[in-house]
Amino acid sequence: MFNKQRSNRKKFKKVSPMKKQDYLWAYCFIAPCFLGLFIFNIGPIFYTIYLAFTEYGSFGQKTWTGLDNFLRLFQDPNVLIALKNTIIFTGIAVPVSIFLSTIVAVLLNQKIRGVTIYRTLYFLPVITMPVAIGMVWRWLYNGDYGLINYSLGLIGIDGPYWLVDSNIALYSVIIVAIWAAIGYNMIIILAGLQNISPTYYEAAEIDGAGPLAKFFNITIPLITPTLFFVTVISIISTLQTFELIYMMVGINSPVTTSSQTLVFLFYREAFINHDLSYGAAISIMLFLIILLVTIFQLKYQKKWVHYG
C-alpha cells in the first residue's frame, strides 16, 4: 500500500517552474521546424488527398466527386502508357546502375594511383543539376549535329534520332539516368566495402581462394545490407523520374506521350491541362505503388540480405 502511494506520488510529481521554462524554450526552438514541416509537407499531403476526391473548377471552386478521378485512371490510356514506361524505366535503370556502381566501387576500392581523382570524376554528375545534365545530353543525342551521331558517322554508321524516334527515346533517357546514378550509388557501396575487415580476405587467401571466389563469397554477401539500401532508394527515386524526360524529350515533342512516366503525366495533367484533381489522383496512385514496392522489399529482404 505504501509502495503504491509512493509510486502514485512519483507519477504525479509536480514539474518545477524552472523545468516548465525549459520545456517552453524547447517547444519554441522546435516550433519553426514543426511549422515548416506542416506547411510544406504534411499539409500538402492532406490537401492532395482532398483534391483527388473533387473536381477543380476554372476559378478554383471544388466540387466533391467521390471516386470519379480514380475510376478515370482505369479508363485513361495515357495512364497505362505512363505506368508501362515507369516500370520499364525502373526495371532497367535500377539493376543496371547498381551493377555498374558495384563494379566501379570495387575498382575504386583498390590502392591505385590517383584514386581520389577517379572517385571525384565519377561523383561529379551527382552534384550537377539534372536540368543541366538533360541539356548537355540533349545536345549529344541530337540527330543532326550531336556528338554521338558525329562519332558514329566517322566509322560509317548513321545514328538514329535518339530523342525523336518513339522506339528508342525512352531508352535513350534511361541510359542517361543510369550514367547519372552511378556516382551516388558508388559512394554508398564504397563505404560498405571499406567496412569489410581485411582478415576475411587474408583467411580466404590462406585457403587458396582466387579474386572471383573472394568477390562472390566474401564481398557480395557482406555488402548486401548496403546493396539493399541502394536498391530501395534507387527504386523510389527512379519511380519519380521527371527532370530528364522533361529536359530531353520535352513537353511538345511527338514522342512525349509514348515516353512519359507517371510523374510526367501528373505534371501534364496538373500544370499543363490545369486538372489539379486528376493530377492529385495520379500522384496518390504513384504513392501507393511506391509504398507497396517498399513494403515488399522490406518484407523479403531476409531472403538475400545478410546482417551477420
Side-chain angles (χ1 to χ4, degrees):
M1 186 70 181
F2 175 74
N3 290 336
K4 190 176 180 181
Q5 288 178 349
R6 191 175 177 182
S7 174
N8 289 336
R9 202 179 301 130
K10 281 184 178 178
K11 188 175 180 181
F12 298 107
K13 188 179 179 181
K14 289 185 177 178
V15 180
S16 66
M18 186 174 290
K19 201 73 175 176
K20 284 183 179 176
Q21 195 173 15
D22 289 344
Y23 286 149
L24 182 63
W25 276 111
Y27 286 126
C28 287
F29 279 119
I30 65 171
C33 180
F34 181 77
L35 198 62
L37 184 69
F38 184 81
I39 292 174
F40 297 110
N41 293 86
I42 299 174
I45 290 174
F46 287 104
Y47 185 65
T48 301
I49 295 172
Y50 167 69
L51 270 182
F53 291 93
T54 64
E55 182 180 355
Y56 196 85
S58 304
F59 296 98
Q61 74 276 14
K62 305 171 194 68
T63 307
W64 184 263
T65 57
L67 295 173
D68 285 359
N69 286 319
F70 293 98
L71 295 175
R72 186 178 159 194
L73 290 173
F74 294 100
Q75 301 166 356
D76 188 349
N78 286 332
V79 171
L80 187 61
I81 294 171
L83 181 61
K84 185 190 76 174
N85 289 340
T86 304
I87 293 172
I88 292 173
F89 204 111
T90 306
I92 296 175
V94 172
V96 174
S97 65
I98 291 176
F99 174 74
L100 295 176
S101 302
T102 305
I103 293 175
V104 173
V106 170
L107 293 175
L108 295 183
N109 195 37
Q110 310 301 316
K111 293 179 181 177
I112 56 176
R113 193 173 183 180
V115 67
T116 307
I117 296 173
Y118 294 130
R119 288 175 185 173
T120 305
L121 290 175
Y122 274 104
F123 195 71
L124 274 180
V126 182
I127 59 173
T128 307
M129 293 293 290
V131 175
I133 290 174
M135 290 178 67
V136 171
W137 275 92
R138 186 173 182 173
W139 170 73
L140 291 173
Y141 273 138
N142 190 284
D144 295 323
Y145 51 85
L147 187 62
I148 294 176
N149 277 3
Y150 173 76
S151 302
L152 291 174
L154 293 177
I155 55 176
I157 298 175
D158 290 330
Y161 285 87
W162 301 91
L163 299 175
V164 184
D165 187 338
S166 60
N167 293 319
I168 61 171
L170 180 66
Y171 300 99
S172 302
V173 180
I174 290 175
I175 291 172
V176 180
I178 292 170
W179 171 81
I182 287 177
Y184 183 75
N185 294 341
M186 178 267 295
I187 286 293
I188 298 174
I189 296 171
L190 190 59
L193 289 171
Q194 294 182 347
N195 280 330
I196 299 175
S197 172
T199 55
Y200 292 113
Y201 296 108
E202 291 168 3
E205 286 175 6
I206 293 172
D207 291 338
L212 285 178
K214 286 190 288 185
F215 178 74
F216 286 108
N217 296 317
I218 298 176
T219 304
I220 292 296
L222 291 179
I223 63 168
T224 48
T226 307
L227 292 176
F228 172 67
F229 173 74
V230 171
T231 303
V232 171
I233 61 171
S234 296
I235 289 177
I236 293 174
S237 172
T238 311
L239 286 172
Q240 301 176 70
T241 297
F242 170 72
E243 299 95 338
L244 289 177
I245 292 180
Y246 180 80
M247 288 307 301
M248 295 175 65
V249 178
I251 195 72
N252 296 317
S253 170
V255 299
T256 298
T257 302
S258 61
S259 307
Q260 64 187 355
T261 58
L262 281 174
V263 177
F264 193 89
L265 179 64
F266 154 75
Y267 172 78
R268 287 183 71 178
E269 294 294 340
F271 300 107
I272 302 298
N273 300 333
H274 304 291
D275 193 346
L276 288 178
S277 298
Y278 190 49
I282 295 171
S283 67
I284 290 175
M285 183 181 74
L286 179 62
F287 166 74
L288 292 176
I289 291 172
I290 292 174
L291 182 66
L292 290 174
V293 171
T294 306
I295 290 173
F296 177 82
Q297 292 178 90
L298 292 173
K299 187 174 181 181
Y300 290 98
Q301 60 163 316
K302 292 179 182 176
K303 293 184 179 296
W304 67 279
V305 179
H306 307 285
Y307 290 103

